[in-house]
Amino acid sequence: MGDILKEGLKKFQAWVEESKQIVFFGGAGVSTESGIPDFRSVDGLYNQQYDYPPETILSHSFFVRNTEEFYRFYRNKMLCLDAQPNVTHKVLAKWEQEGKLSAVVTQNIDGLHQKAGSKKVWELHGTVHKNYCQKCRKLFSAEYMLHSTGIPRCDAVEQGKTCNGIIKPDVVLYEEGLDDYVMSSAMNAIQTADMMIIAGTSLAVYPAAGLIRYYSGNKLVLINKTATAYDSKADLVLQCGLGQIFQNFI
């Protein structure tokens, strides 16, 4: 760890120590250290397996038009159910238990914050752990989706007839709007925060990235491996992996 990063870490530790309402805003980089790939970082096998880019496959119109191909990608790339929380997830849950952290706002859909023990989590893009029949609204688990084949359909029976409706993940796809209640709750948490940590995100996805303008404090920390367009607005920038920072709080 270089001298500049060491100084930044000391300042970060001091701010965490004195803060009582921290809000953590996280993106894909929070979960990559748990082995969940950022689907924007297309792997070498990707083009051999799929005819469309991830953003196209994960769109509402593609889900409607090419449901079976959507699910082929979704099962292969989005359902990482064996993944375990990493040090960042665990430290955030610890801070919440200690009364230092008031909320986690996440762009991730993997449920790892809750798996680590966090209770107040606002999932801007939904979760793979909740899936619903578009016809009768019956709920299904992520495990059910993973072990389904083709287009998953509802098995609910009413008056002797099987529903057979198409099941949809409770995940916000491209072309779909974010949940108003989740957005307003995240805004409220950010507005009342005395420290805001933004980590593992390039802040390129809107409207989620626009939430940071609701923070009016003077402890805005950006932790990311690469520079972001918001670095100049931050009070502290730590350009490194999250584990490198959060391992110091175990």
Side-chain angles (χ1 to χ4, degrees), residues 17 24 96 118 131-132 150 169 184 189-190 196 221 247:
E17 187 65 34
F24 179 90
E96 184 183 23
S118 289
N131 306 271
Y132 62 92
S184 62
I190 291 167
M196 185 171 180
V221 183
Q247 68 184 358

Side-chain angles (χ1 to χ4, degrees), residues 161-221:
K161 288 186 177 179
T162 302
C163 173
N164 210 38
I166 294 174
I167 303 168
K168 184 181 184 295
D170 195 11
V171 168
V172 180
L173 302 177
Y174 289 99
E175 305 164 354
E176 295 179 343
L178 303 192
D179 182 274
D180 288 340
Y181 175 70
V182 172
M183 280 290 280
S184 62
S185 300
M187 279 180 213
N188 290 339
I190 291 167
Q191 281 175 327
T192 56
D194 58 5
M195 179 178 182
M196 185 171 180
I197 304 165
I198 301 170
T201 174
S202 59
L203 292 169
V205 177
Y206 283 83
L211 282 171
I212 67 169
R213 71 177 183 270
Y214 291 95
Y215 177 69
S216 56
N218 60 359
K219 298 191 192 82
L220 178 61
V221 183

Side-chain angles (χ1 to χ4, degrees), residues 10 12 16 25 36 45 59 72 76 78 81 86 95 137-138 153 158 163 182-183 186 190 206 211 213-214 218 221-222:
K10 278 170 67 176
F12 182 69
V16 168
F25 181 102
I36 295 181
L45 295 173
S59 67
R72 188 166 78 90
N76 288 344
M78 310 302 285
L81 304 188
N86 60 51
W95 287 352
R137 312 303 285 185
K138 179 181 175 180
R153 292 186 176 271
E158 190 173 336
C163 173
V182 172
M183 280 290 280
I190 291 167
Y206 283 83
L211 282 171
R213 71 177 183 270
Y214 291 95
N218 60 359
V221 183
L222 269 175

Side-chain angles (χ1 to χ4, degrees), residues 3-71:
D3 289 343
I4 294 174
L5 194 52
K6 278 182 186 171
E7 285 304 307
L9 175 60
K10 278 170 67 176
K11 183 183 281 191
F12 182 69
Q13 288 172 313
W15 285 358
V16 168
E17 187 65 34
E18 66 190 40
S19 298
K20 293 179 173 61
Q21 281 191 292
I22 301 169
V23 167
F24 179 90
F25 181 102
V30 178
S31 292
T32 51
E33 291 180 16
S34 290
I36 295 181
D38 178 354
F39 72 81
R40 287 186 187 79
S41 306
V42 172
D43 60 51
L45 295 173
Y46 180 84
N47 291 323
Q48 296 172 36
Q49 295 179 19
Y50 304 101
D51 296 328
Y52 306 90
E55 287 86 350
T56 299
I57 298 174
L58 293 173
S59 67
H60 177 83
S61 53
F62 192 92
F63 174 81
V64 172
R65 284 195 324 267
N66 300 65
T67 313
E68 191 159 356
E69 180 67 3
F70 169 90
Y71 271 113

